[in-house]
Amino acid sequence: MSPISGSLSVTYPIAETFHSLQGEGAWAGANAFFIRLGGCDVHCPWCDQKETWPTQHHPRKTVTELVQQAVTAKPSFVVITGGEPLMHNLQSLCQALKNQGLRLHLETSGAYPLTGQFDWITLSPKPYKLPQAEIYSLANELKVIISQEEDFSWAEMAATKVKVDIPLYLQAEWGTETANERIFDYILSHPQWRLSMQTHKYLGLR
């Protein structure tokens, strides 16, 4: 078995795959194919994807299967998300997707070392499991979830570590009714930040 064919048989635990629009951040509204990996030990108390946490509960799919699904969807880009996708070595999956000419985006808390090659990295750091130091300089956008007043201090700390020219987003935790109002007021006095909305949820999209 050649190294290339061997990498195509690598498997990953898959919570779901789907073709939709990106709902958040700088690429909101764009055509995207999502690969949501199972497994996460960051354990945000307000997480809306808690079903992804246990790795062993999800069916495993080969790189070949995942690439076929992504190619068939013909998206503008593929989003690898989770869970926490960097719990897994993403090199084989990324290389196979890249070989098909697909643009790759990553959504991560940065809690594990980066593997794979990406065209866009959305860093959403969490205080529950601290990011790897090196991920900050690699981020293309910073997105911090706000559920309580203390989260603004966490956001400001994270902003000092990323590149100065990337977009900075504050996004309300979906279940916190006052979060959007807090973010709105905060951005009015801190114009370096932008508001990120989970537009897919408002539109009833997957």
Side-chain angles (χ1 to χ4, degrees), residues 179-193:
N180 275 323
E181 183 177 351
R182 287 179 177 176
I183 292 171
F184 181 83
D185 292 339
Y186 192 86
I187 293 175
L188 288 182
S189 58
H190 299 81
Q192 70 273 28
W193 290 96

Side-chain angles (χ1 to χ4, degrees), residues 32-62:
F33 182 77
F34 291 82
I35 299 175
R36 188 181 302 282
L37 298 177
C40 183
D41 60 0
V42 180
H43 292 178
C44 303
W46 36 257
C47 178
D48 61 358
Q49 296 290 335
K50 288 182 179 178
E51 66 274 11
T52 67
W53 289 5
T55 304
Q56 68 274 18
H57 291 176
H58 303 288
R60 302 189 72 90
K61 292 187 178 182
T62 65

Side-chain angles (χ1 to χ4, degrees), residues 68-206:
Q68 287 176 343
Q69 289 182 343
V71 169
T72 299
K74 298 180 180 179
S76 296
F77 51 86
V78 175
V79 180
I80 299 178
T81 185
E84 175 41 65
L86 290 181
M87 286 184 69
H88 312 280
N89 187 326
L90 302 178
Q91 183 61 40
S92 295
L93 178 58
C94 288
Q95 187 59 59
L97 290 166
K98 282 287 188 183
N99 287 345
Q100 295 297 320
L102 291 166
R103 179 181 175 89
L104 298 186
H105 291 201
L106 174 69
E107 297 180 347
T108 180
S109 70
Y112 287 86
L114 180 68
T115 54
Q117 301 80 37
F118 295 92
D119 300 289
W120 189 269
I121 296 176
T122 299
L123 175 62
S124 185
K126 308 298 192 302
Y128 313 107
K129 190 175 180 66
L130 297 180
Q132 301 283 306
E134 60 271 17
I135 194 67
Y136 286 102
S137 64
L138 302 174
N140 299 104
E141 66 178 347
L142 176 70
K143 181 180 69 180
V144 180
I145 308 302
I146 302 297
S147 64
Q148 55 189 349
E149 198 67 29
E150 292 82 356
D151 294 329
F152 290 110
S153 296
W154 172 251
E156 292 293 352
M157 181 279 296
T160 66
K161 298 185 177 184
V162 296
K163 293 175 289 189
V164 297
D165 58 343
I166 71 168
L168 308 176
Y169 289 100
L170 299 175
Q171 181 171 296
E173 190 277 309
W174 183 255
T176 304
E177 294 182 1
T178 61
N180 275 323
E181 183 177 351
R182 287 179 177 176
I183 292 171
F184 181 83
D185 292 339
Y186 192 86
I187 293 175
L188 288 182
S189 58
H190 299 81
Q192 70 273 28
W193 290 96
R194 306 178 188 182
L195 174 66
S196 175
M197 303 286 285
Q198 292 181 288
T199 56
H200 56 294
K201 291 187 177 181
Y202 287 103
L203 295 173
L205 302 176
R206 192 173 181 185

